[in-house]
Amino acid sequence: MIETKNYRKTITFHQRLLYKERSSKGGEIKALLPKLERQIEEMKSKIQFLELVKKYLQILYAEKWGVEPCNFLTVVNMGRNEPSDISALDGMLLFYHLSKTPSEIQYNDSQNCPRSLQAGTPLALMAYLYSRNAFLKGYVQQFLFTFRYFCSQEELLQFILDRIRITLPGSSPESCSLFSKIYHRSFSILQAWIEDCYTVDFSINPNFMRILKDFIISQVVPLNGRGRQLLSLLNNVASKKDRNVSQFCKMEVWEQEMEMRETRSLRFSCKRDTGNVLQKHLSRRLSKGTESQLCYRPATEELSGFCLNIAEAPYFLTEYTAQQLYCQLTLLEQEIFHKCHPVHFLNSRLLGVNDKTVLLPKASSSELLSSPAYNLFVKNCVQDDYLLQLLKYADNVSTWVAAEIVSSCSSKVQMNLVSKFLFTAKCCYKQRNFATAMQILRGLENLIVRQLPIWKSLPSKVSDILEELKAVEVFLKSDSLCLMEGERFKTSPTIPSAHILTMHIQQLETGGFTMRNGTYKWTKLRNIAKVVSQVQAFQENPYMFPPDCQLQDFLRQRIAFLNDADIFALAADNYANFHQKPEKQSRKIQDALHRMKAMFQ
């Protein structure tokens, strides 16, 4: 017994020592966390600085091959059958002298006078890419975002390839330093075009890509290494694009599998839960022959046991904090936002986008693009419709918010949900996720949702958040560049509201693009480029939240399930959406009806 007691004391002693050791280590780790966080932030800032230095060095290298104003006409006349047709730039370029009124001048006049490009013909605007400081002043990027208003992708590519062909080293005995500058600047322009606009110009047009690769392989690669560098860049960008596409295809396959599972379990679910409000709505949709979706069980093994009843969904939402919902909704929004391109927001009227986001779902993209109405791009310019997917997702989130509220089984659950959505939206706009914040606002502003009785009993500190969201919406609509103001946008991740940004672009696109002499208004194009370039700037600084796969999966399935929900029909089938009379008064009315019924029998 004594040995046993001593043994126990020895074990207890060692356990205490181990606990103290672990506690001391835990305390040391906690003390190290703030230091590690500071070091991580310092490393991030250093990496960002090095990326900026890298970009600046690339710009300086490109500017090394900039053409002086006195030689600009040579760039314009290259590749033309009759070069003598253009002997001066009068009427081709219009500059605004900062100290004078706008006037048409020759390019080699008043070089010491500060000025800004105001307008130009398509040929002159393309040739201006070769001018000195075109990269440094941002003209090249602004041009690559907006050239589709006055020339097609094929026309721009042919313009650049003609200058490469004429200035190929060894192709002409009269080759000089000017030709060398034009040759190298052409490759810098092509590199910038591929890096900035591959997804909207090259990947969607196989014939366009074939022309570029055939020219490089046949005429440039045999002479020097610039051709191989450009081919390597094309392959790297294409492989990165393919990886993104493969992930997107995997997601589509996964969604199709889920739809098949939902279809197989449809009849059983309808019989099992016929009293549920959403199930009634689902049956109504089935009777009309529309496609439907049910709660599905995720295919991944770690989520194999995760499946919610339709009636349990509102309760599941209330189990998560507003911060948790904000983080995962932000990651879902970021996933679709990072696939878009600044050019996707241009010429959006052609896609049927207006102030009320009424899209044209029955018309295919090819039919829409062939329609002459509202087409601001040139005739042969290829344009995809990814913007419609972005706006469709935003509409789905708003519908999901409204549907979850009106289908809740009691006013208490409705109040909890409204409060949770409001606090989630507040977290979103505080952390500059304006897209999700405006989507939630639109769901809460639904006409049916705003008529619910629970708004009268909602605490003022909660209902005030709705007014804050409306003020944020007014702020976003007030200025197209409001999110670029201040230092915070350079360090904080940001997701703009796609619909509000599109409306800003449409406002800038209003009016003519040409002047009386036929030149295109570069000031107008430059303003459009400045607004859409926000998309690229915001994508460079992503949110780094840890993903919650289970919550994300639940949010995806609920948003997909309720994307076409009839909010009015859902609200009409739920007694919690109506003002309830006191129980005593209802009993008196029922007793009176029974007495009247007995009298007439």
Side-chain angles (χ1 to χ4, degrees):
M1 292 293 292
I2 295 175
E3 293 180 359
T4 304
K5 289 182 179 179
N6 292 335
Y7 179 71
R8 289 177 180 175
K9 288 181 179 178
T10 303
I11 292 177
T12 304
F13 176 73
H14 285 294
Q15 286 176 343
R16 289 177 180 176
L17 285 178
L18 184 60
Y19 175 76
K20 289 182 179 179
E21 185 179 356
R22 288 177 176 175
S23 299
S24 61
K25 288 183 178 179
E28 292 176 0
I29 293 174
K30 289 182 179 179
L32 286 174
L33 284 177
K35 185 177 180 180
L36 289 174
E37 289 178 355
R38 288 194 299 270
Q39 291 178 349
I40 291 173
E41 291 298 327
E42 290 176 0
M43 291 298 296
K44 285 182 179 179
S45 61
K46 289 179 181 179
I47 292 173
Q48 291 175 353
F49 176 73
L50 291 176
E51 289 291 337
L52 290 175
V53 172
K54 179 183 176 182
K55 291 181 180 179
Y56 184 68
L57 291 176
Q58 290 176 343
I59 291 175
L60 290 182
Y61 176 80
E63 288 299 347
K64 177 183 178 181
W65 311 110
V67 176
E68 298 297 328
C70 59
N71 297 318
F72 190 68
L73 278 175
T74 304
V75 180
V76 176
N77 285 320
M78 274 186 175
R80 297 178 64 89
N81 296 328
E82 299 178 359
S84 59
D85 288 349
I86 301 178
S87 57
L89 291 179
D90 290 335
M92 292 190 67
L93 289 175
L94 182 65
F95 289 91
Y96 178 80
H97 289 257
L98 301 180
S99 58
K100 300 179 181 180
T101 58
S103 60
E104 290 184 1
I105 61 170
Q106 291 185 2
Y107 192 80
N108 56 359
D109 290 345
S110 305
Q111 293 299 313
N112 296 326
C113 180
R115 59 186 182 174
S116 177
L117 181 63
Q118 186 180 19
T121 62
L123 178 62
L125 291 176
M126 285 189 283
Y128 198 72
L129 292 168
Y130 292 78
S131 65
R132 182 165 48 89
N133 296 330
F135 273 92
L136 196 60
K137 293 182 178 179
Y139 175 83
V140 174
Q141 187 186 56
Q142 294 166 359
F143 177 93
L144 293 176
F145 285 169
T146 58
F147 72 86
R148 299 156 190 81
Y149 291 105
F150 55 84
C151 73
S152 65
Q153 294 101 326
E154 286 79 4
E155 291 172 340
L156 176 60
L157 180 64
Q158 191 61 48
F159 178 87
I160 299 173
L161 296 184
D162 284 344
R163 276 129 196 87
I164 294 177
R165 175 176 50 79
I166 295 173
T167 59
L168 279 171
S171 61
S172 174
E174 296 85 15
S175 61
C176 59
S177 59
L178 175 61
F179 276 24
S180 178
K181 284 185 176 182
I182 297 173
Y183 177 80
H184 289 289
R185 174 57 77 92
S186 298
F187 280 99
S188 297
I189 296 170
L190 271 178
Q191 179 179 345
W193 190 7
I194 294 169
E195 290 177 347
D196 288 348
C197 302
Y198 179 85
T199 57
V200 292
D201 289 327
F202 294 88
S203 64
I204 64 175
N205 194 342
N207 183 56
F208 185 64
M209 177 71 77
R210 182 185 56 79
I211 294 173
L212 175 59
K213 284 188 174 182
D214 290 347
F215 177 84
I216 296 173
I217 294 172
S218 62
Q219 300 196 36
V220 182
V221 170
L223 295 178
N224 56 41
R226 291 304 299 267
R228 295 187 183 90
Q229 294 176 6
L230 197 61
L231 286 177
S232 177
L233 175 63
L234 278 171
N235 293 331
N236 291 337
V237 176
S239 62
K240 183 179 179 181
K241 173 67 177 177
D242 291 339
R243 285 196 298 270
N244 294 335
V245 170
S246 65
Q247 293 176 358
F248 186 73
C249 291
K250 288 181 180 178
M251 180 60 68
E252 285 188 334
V253 171
W254 180 79
E255 291 177 351
Q256 291 175 1
E257 291 179 355
M258 293 304 103
E259 289 180 0
M260 292 175 64
R261 289 168 178 257
E262 293 157 8
T263 304
R264 287 195 296 265
S265 62
L266 181 59
R267 295 181 180 178
F268 172 75
S269 298
C270 290
K271 294 179 180 179
R272 182 188 59 186
D273 199 15
T274 54
N276 186 269
V277 175
L278 279 176
Q279 200 67 60
K280 291 180 181 179
H281 174 65
L282 179 60
S283 300
R284 187 180 297 110
R285 288 168 63 182
L286 284 173
S287 64
K288 296 180 180 179
T290 58
E291 295 182 356
S292 58
Q293 297 179 354
L294 280 179
C295 172
Y296 53 81
R297 192 178 299 273
T300 54
E301 293 181 0
E302 63 273 14
L303 301 178
S304 59
F306 173 67
C307 184
L308 286 178
N309 219 342
I310 297 175
E312 296 172 355
Y315 298 99
F316 186 79
L317 277 175
T318 56
E319 291 179 0
Y320 286 90
T321 64
Q323 183 72 21
Q324 290 172 313
L325 290 174
Y326 143 69
C327 291
Q328 302 311 312
L329 284 171
T330 298
L331 291 180
L332 294 179
E333 185 69 37
Q334 181 173 262
E335 181 181 352
I336 188 171
F337 172 67
H338 277 214
K339 294 177 183 177
C340 73
H341 189 277
V343 176
H344 287 140
F345 291 86
L346 305 179
N347 199 23
S348 56
R349 286 191 184 91
L350 178 66
L351 303 176
V353 182
N354 57 29
D355 192 27
K356 296 181 180 180
T357 62
V358 177
L359 309 181
L360 302 178
K362 294 184 179 180
S364 64
S365 58
S366 60
E367 292 173 349
L368 289 171
L369 296 177
S370 62
S371 174
Y374 302 114
N375 191 1
L376 301 176
F377 286 176
V378 295
K379 183 178 180 181
N380 297 325
C381 190
V382 180
Q383 180 185 4
D384 62 26
D385 57 356
Y386 184 78
L387 177 63
L388 298 185
Q389 301 179 39
L390 197 63
L391 295 178
K392 178 61 177 175
Y393 177 79
D395 290 341
N396 291 347
V397 174
S398 299
T399 305
W400 162 68
V401 170
E404 293 285 17
I405 295 171
V406 300
S407 60
S408 299
C409 59
S410 67
S411 58
K412 182 179 180 180
V413 178
Q414 282 185 344
M415 188 176 298
N416 290 337
L417 270 181
V418 170
S419 301
K420 186 63 62 67
F421 280 129
L422 283 171
F423 282 113
T424 302
K426 184 173 183 178
C427 291
C428 288
Y429 81 76
K430 286 289 185 181
Q431 300 301 321
R432 297 176 64 85
N433 177 6
F434 299 100
T436 306
M438 294 299 100
Q439 292 161 12
I440 295 176
L441 173 62
R442 189 178 177 191
L444 295 172
E445 284 287 277
N446 183 279
L447 181 62
I448 305 299
V449 176
R450 290 297 292 156
Q451 293 178 354
L452 297 179
I454 53 105
W455 289 99
K456 294 183 178 180
S457 54
L458 204 66
S460 58
K461 67 176 183 180
V462 178
S463 58
D464 288 344
I465 300 177
L466 188 67
E467 300 303 321
E468 294 180 26
L469 290 171
K470 292 179 182 178
V472 171
E473 183 181 28
V474 173
F475 168 74
L476 295 176
K477 291 181 178 180
S478 62
D479 185 8
S480 59
L481 296 172
C482 61
L483 297 181
M484 302 289 286
E485 297 175 355
E487 293 294 325
R488 189 180 175 189
F489 88 90
K490 298 178 181 178
T491 57
S492 300
T494 304
I495 302 180
S497 171
H499 180 248
I500 294 178
L501 180 60
T502 304
M503 290 303 103
H504 282 305
I505 302 300
Q506 286 192 6
Q507 185 66 28
L508 292 174
E509 289 177 333
T510 303
F513 280 81
T514 58
M515 304 184 72
R516 292 183 177 179
N517 59 357
T519 58
Y520 281 81
K521 302 176 183 177
W522 177 248
T523 52
K524 185 183 183 74
L525 298 174
R526 182 174 60 233
N527 290 335
I528 294 175
K530 287 181 179 179
V531 176
V532 297
S533 64
Q534 295 178 88
V535 174
Q536 193 176 59
F538 294 149
Q539 289 174 342
E540 293 176 355
N541 195 9
Y543 292 88
M544 303 300 292
F545 302 133
D548 184 337
C549 296
Q550 184 178 18
L551 179 55
Q552 284 191 16
D553 188 82
F554 167 75
L555 293 173
R556 281 195 182 99
Q557 64 152 320
R558 294 300 294 174
I559 293 172
F561 172 66
L562 297 168
N563 59 357
D564 293 324
D566 188 340
I567 304 302
F568 180 81
L570 289 177
D573 287 340
N574 191 355
Y575 289 107
N577 298 321
F578 304 95
H579 292 278
Q580 302 296 325
K581 294 183 179 180
E583 186 176 355
K584 292 183 179 180
Q585 184 178 357
S586 62
R587 285 182 180 178
K588 289 181 180 180
I589 295 174
Q590 289 178 2
D591 292 341
L593 290 174
H594 285 308
R595 288 195 297 268
M596 291 181 65
K597 184 178 180 180
M599 287 174 59
F600 289 102
Q601 283 180 349

